[in-house]
Amino acid sequence: MTEKDFIPQSNISYPKEGRIGYKAPSNIALVKYWGKKENQIPANPSVSFTLDACATRTVVTFKEKTPADEFSFDLLFEGKPKEDFKPKIETFFNRVAVYLPYLKKYHFTIDTSNSFPHSSGIASSASGMAALALCLLEIEKMADATKEDSYFDKKASFLARLGSGSACRSIKGSLVQWGKHGGLESSTNLFGVPYPHKVHEVFKTYHDTILLVHKGQKTVSSTVGHNLMNGHPYANSRFVHAHTNLDALEAVFASGDLEKFIGIVESEALTLHAMMMSSTPYFILMMPNTLQIINAIWDYRKTTGTPICFTLDAGANVHVLYPEDYKEQSIAFIQEQLVQYCENGHYICDKVGQGAKKLDLK
Ligand code: DP6
């Protein structure tokens, strides 16, 4: 498929008004997306677990307006106007306008909220952009009955990607791959696809407990971090490394080999942060408590043999990953030894989920 396949036919008759809602989850990358080209094209492929509890709920009300000459929307966050979110939405509208040519025909009220606290340090761009993309695309879905659901799933992911790269992995499925990889037909830079190879049962119920080490705003945004991969001295070897790790994960996902899984996932997390530490300018997003947690996980794993590991996003928080069969001892370990390193003792228990859902608004 190419970008052109997502431009709708011009003879569709769109509804005059309506109201749509979607809940979209966050996701946690196992092989990280870090570095991008023009038009939100990733520099390397990535794969992520779709989460469940961490999600954004967005309700969009739309009504026809004249003239249809510019974008018009109000933005509410948790029921209250939120002006500082508007520029990001405006940028998103501009990027997707050619694929959603009806956007200027309507005035929108976008009402959005997150399941996790706003000041948790958890990025809401993936779940937020996925939920918004789904709501806006639903208008086309209402108008065009000729297209199949699979087309709309791809287009939702394609649109979400234009809002925030990682958002394209928050539409469908428990394990999602985004980015062209090897000769695999189904993999593409344009949208996320359900992981195309065999996946062992153990990975379908994996847990992710997110330890909130630092709940404030990050010092460097992901967008700035991605750009610092341009001209980065280790960029090319990093991008090759991501492909190598995805190749290695194929056998791991199929067999359920947790030792190898842990080796790849932790190395990916530390490589992501190593890229930040070796860019120009360089920066560090981990905090002393991030390292305390990592060391405590390594000690606990070594002494007990529990297959528990960590990954990191672009911040100080730690995602602690463990299989369902080890849930009890892992939670006890987290509470006894790791929660002391969380800001105000806060953490979120999440697990692998199935993707976005349409809300029943009646
Ligand atoms: C470290 O998707 O937030 O979480 O495309 O600029 O919006 P933009 O970046 P974003 O980057 C996410 C980076 C990451 C790794 C990942 O999720 O793969």
Side-chain angles (χ1 to χ4, degrees), residues 139-266:
I139 299 172
E140 181 183 331
K141 218 171 176 177
M142 287 168 166
D144 186 356
T146 65
K147 298 256 170 32
E148 289 178 3
D149 282 353
S150 64
Y151 169 84
F152 285 112
D153 290 341
K154 287 176 190 144
K155 182 160 177 180
S157 174
F158 171 85
L159 297 171
R161 187 196 99 239
L162 294 172
S164 178
S166 55
C168 78
R169 301 186 312 236
S170 276
I171 303 293
K172 259 206 117 88
S174 50
L175 196 57
V176 179
Q177 184 178 317
W178 167 42
K180 191 77 196 145
H181 178 59
L184 197 68
E185 269 294 299
S186 66
S187 71
T188 164
N189 288 331
L190 298 182
F191 49 84
V193 295
Y195 186 70
H197 305 289
K198 191 178 162 212
V199 180
H200 190 278
E201 287 302 310
V202 71
F203 297 116
K204 297 184 180 163
T205 53
Y206 234 72
H207 288 262
D208 177 5
T209 299
I210 307 160
L211 305 180
L212 306 178
V213 170
H214 178 64
K215 302 206 269 175
Q217 194 83 12
K218 291 189 290 194
T219 47
V220 181
S221 74
S222 289
T223 304
V224 170
H226 284 294
N227 287 336
L228 292 177
M229 288 302 280
N230 292 319
H232 190 296
Y234 308 133
N236 284 340
S237 29
R238 157 60 195 153
F239 301 146
V240 170
H241 189 228
H243 283 271
T244 309
N245 280 341
L246 255 189
D247 278 335
L249 274 177
E250 188 179 331
V252 170
F253 282 141
S255 66
D257 183 335
L258 296 182
E259 202 178 318
K260 290 207 176 112
F261 174 76
I262 288 170
I264 294 167
V265 167
E266 291 190 344

Side-chain angles (χ1 to χ4, degrees), residues 117-124 211-221 285 287 313-317 342-344 346:
H118 181 47
S119 59
S120 61
I122 296 187
S124 59
L211 305 180
L212 306 178
V213 170
H214 178 64
K215 302 206 269 175
Q217 194 83 12
K218 291 189 290 194
T219 47
V220 181
S221 74
L285 294 183
M287 297 197 126
D313 54 17
N317 296 336
C342 298
E343 197 173 327
N344 301 324
H346 287 170

